[in-house]
Amino acid sequence: MSRPVVAVVGRPNVGKSTFFNKIIGERRSIVEDTPGVTRDRIYADAEWNGRRFLLIDTGGIEPRTDDILLRQMRMQAQIAIDTADVIVFLCDVRAGLTADDRDIAVLLKKSGKPVIVGVNKVDSVGATPYEFYEFYELGFDRDPVALSSIHGTGTGDLLDEVVAALPPEEEEEEGDGTVAVAVIGKPNAGKSSMVNRLIGEERQIVSDIPGTTRDAVDTSFCNGYGKFTFIDTAGIRRQSRVEDKIEKYSVLRAKMAVERADVCLLVIDAVEGITEQDEKIAGIAHEAGKATIILVNKWDLIEKDNSTVNEFNTKIRTALAYMPYAPILYVSALTGQRTNQIFEKLLAVYESSRRRVTTGMLNDLLNDAITRVQPPSDKGKRLKIYYMTETSVAPPTFVIFCNSAALFHFSYQRYIENCLRTAYGFEGTPIRIVIRQRGEEMPDKL
């Protein structure tokens, strides 16, 4: 179930980024500080009154400009508008209603999306300034909202309007059984060729449905392995100075495709080998907690000897050290080499990402793990683990209750994760472990 998207748009310097930071503030997800995990700040998870959504911060829109970079920023803002469910149109009360604001309003009305006008920089306490009422002239269905991104006043009122305009929450359909697969990777790695090879002659039901992103197409079909929907995304190119803003939106589109997927196929060009861009793309899937399979494509073009596979494995595992769980397949979309193994592996990692383990079995495992390797201690105080339970799947998430979170070193968490993988597999899926601290007076449940 994908999250709705809220795009923040407006002229330059109206306070969009300040507003964006205020909204995501303390709700920003805590992620691993590991190489390859994307840190682009143009999007973030946000929540208000129990509704979760993806918040997009866009570059300023200059409706009338010949500057190449500004024109590109306007184009990418248009992409954000097209992908959004709700648009926050931020204006500046100090500048008043400008001609550019009016032009942007025309652009937004053409989109047909719900628009919430936020009149920013209303920093004074007391009566609303006269200039605020000018923004009613923009003619949107909803009243403008006065706010101050710096102080946070009015942001709650605006978010109330945003949540009210979001589409109704979808309920997860039971029994459909369709596996959504995002095919991600750099341009020219062979993603589209891989999708064509996989649906190939075996296709029974095929439909092309425009995806939620401008450059993603969903291809749904079924075969002897089950029902699948492949999301073929545009590749992420290496950034350059001029394209920096543009490529951030390529990352955004890839992330949105990953968000909609159950499993990710990371396609790597065997001729080029693993690159920094591959690490970045892999980080998107890892951060999202998605099951992932690494496909080293164009393997038919590589001259091989007895050590070739081992050398490739070592390079990939070193570069993607944060996702050792992902299986690697050496394939060729052109010749079909080993592509027959992909569907079997897809179902295996999909099932792993949804595997549930009973609390009783988990605590038997925990007892055994603690017996074999004692929990760490510091200054005479030893970590005491009470019990563990699985709270969710996709990815499998385990909560461990203990006497001191500070004593629960990362290395011991990794040890517990390895015990889980040894006992229950979890091939292809990340595992998340959440540490909860309880007081010393809590009875030992182990």
Side-chain angles (χ1 to χ4, degrees):
M1 182 170 62
S2 59
R3 276 170 287 180
V5 177
V6 177
V8 183
V9 303
R11 296 183 294 106
N13 302 318
V14 296
K16 295 185 299 299
S17 294
T18 304
F19 172 79
F20 177 84
N21 291 336
K22 177 64 72 173
I23 299 308
I24 67 172
E26 297 177 356
R27 297 183 179 88
R28 172 173 290 279
S29 299
I30 299 173
V31 296
E32 294 176 349
D33 186 15
T34 49
V37 178
T38 178
R39 291 292 183 272
D40 291 313
R41 290 178 53 84
I42 59 162
Y43 58 82
D45 298 326
E47 182 178 348
W48 185 254
N49 287 343
R51 285 302 304 270
R52 298 178 65 213
F53 52 91
L54 192 67
L55 187 67
I56 305 176
D57 180 20
T58 68
I61 301 175
E62 290 274 17
R64 294 175 292 240
T65 181
D66 293 326
D67 182 273
I68 293 176
L69 182 56
L70 291 176
R71 285 168 56 192
Q72 296 286 12
M73 288 167 61
R74 181 176 64 199
M75 180 184 71
Q76 300 307 325
Q78 180 66 58
I79 292 173
I81 292 168
D82 291 344
T83 61
D85 295 290
V86 176
I87 299 164
V88 173
F89 177 21
L90 215 58
C91 303
D92 182 351
V93 73
R94 297 175 187 172
L97 182 60
T98 69
D100 282 353
D101 288 328
R102 295 180 190 274
D103 289 344
I104 294 171
V106 172
L107 177 71
L108 297 181
K109 287 176 182 177
K110 288 180 181 178
S111 74
K113 306 291 180 69
V115 177
I116 315 297
V117 177
V119 184
N120 195 23
K121 304 184 184 179
V122 181
D123 300 328
S124 58
V125 178
T128 304
Y130 171 79
E131 292 79 8
F132 166 79
Y133 297 98
E134 293 180 356
F135 292 90
Y136 278 88
E137 296 179 25
L138 293 174
F140 289 102
D141 295 336
R142 296 167 176 81
D143 291 340
V145 177
L147 70 141
S148 169
S149 295
I150 293 178
H151 302 297
T153 55
T155 54
D157 295 335
L158 187 142
L159 288 173
D160 286 342
E161 293 288 335
V162 167
V163 168
L166 290 175
E169 289 190 83
E170 302 173 3
E171 294 195 9
E172 294 191 47
E173 297 182 6
E174 297 290 340
D176 178 53
T178 299
V179 181
V181 184
V183 185
I184 57 178
K186 298 183 306 182
N188 303 319
K191 298 182 301 300
S192 295
S193 298
M194 185 62 66
V195 172
N196 290 337
R197 166 64 64 174
L198 291 174
I199 65 175
E201 300 299 323
E202 297 179 354
R203 83 176 82 182
Q204 295 178 14
I205 301 172
V206 176
S207 61
D208 291 333
I209 308 166
T212 59
T213 58
R214 173 169 286 190
D215 59 349
V217 175
D218 292 0
T219 303
S220 299
F221 72 105
C222 63
N223 60 13
Y225 290 93
K227 298 178 182 179
F228 300 88
T229 296
F230 279 92
I231 309 166
D232 182 13
T233 63
I236 302 175
R237 297 185 297 275
R238 182 174 298 278
Q239 293 185 359
S240 66
R241 291 180 184 176
V242 177
E243 294 184 331
D244 184 63
K245 286 275 185 183
I246 304 168
E247 294 310 324
K248 285 185 179 181
Y249 282 91
S250 295
V251 175
L252 170 63
R253 292 192 293 270
K255 177 177 172 61
M256 292 174 70
V258 168
E259 286 282 347
R260 297 165 50 219
D262 299 308
V263 179
C264 294
L265 296 181
L266 172 62
V267 182
I268 295 174
D269 188 332
V271 177
E272 291 190 18
I274 185 78
T275 68
E276 183 181 345
Q277 288 298 99
D278 292 317
E279 296 176 39
K280 185 173 188 177
I281 298 166
I284 296 171
H286 175 74
E287 240 184 54
K290 301 296 182 175
T292 302
I293 300 170
I294 300 169
L295 301 181
V296 183
N297 192 27
K298 307 181 185 180
W299 194 240
D300 56 306
L301 301 179
I302 300 298
E303 293 187 12
K304 309 169 190 69
D305 56 33
N306 292 337
S307 62
T308 305
V309 170
N310 288 336
E311 289 174 0
F312 263 81
N313 278 339
T314 299
K315 290 177 181 177
I316 291 172
R317 292 305 182 198
T318 300
L320 306 182
Y322 51 88
M323 53 190 312
Y325 51 82
I328 303 173
L329 293 178
Y330 293 88
V331 298
S332 170
L334 180 63
T335 67
Q337 182 181 11
R338 296 191 190 87
T339 54
N340 61 326
Q341 300 177 17
I342 293 176
F343 282 109
E344 185 176 342
K345 191 65 72 174
L346 266 175
L347 293 180
V349 301
Y350 174 76
E351 291 169 2
S352 286
S353 70
R354 281 157 174 74
R355 183 165 299 146
R356 287 195 177 273
V357 184
T358 66
T359 300
M361 294 173 69
L362 286 174
N363 287 295
D364 287 343
L365 178 146
L366 200 55
N367 263 323
D368 183 61
I370 291 172
T371 300
R372 285 189 282 117
V373 179
Q374 284 292 309
S377 62
D378 183 44
K379 296 178 181 178
K381 185 177 182 180
R382 181 170 293 279
L383 172 67
K384 190 176 184 182
I385 301 175
Y386 298 124
Y387 65 99
M388 173 169 58
T389 186
E390 186 176 8
T391 57
S392 63
V393 296
T397 301
F398 302 89
V399 176
I400 300 179
F401 294 85
C402 66
N403 64 326
S404 172
L407 289 175
F408 213 126
H409 299 158
F410 175 76
S411 58
Y412 204 75
Q413 290 184 43
R414 180 57 57 87
Y415 165 66
I416 297 297
E417 177 181 334
N418 290 338
C419 290
L420 285 167
R421 292 191 183 278
T422 299
Y424 301 110
F426 292 114
E427 180 189 25
T429 182
I431 289 176
R432 290 184 175 162
I433 295 178
V434 180
I435 307 302
R436 293 274 174 82
Q437 181 172 307
R438 290 287 185 90
E440 288 285 352
E441 71 280 358
M442 181 176 177
D444 194 341
K445 296 192 176 183
L446 291 181

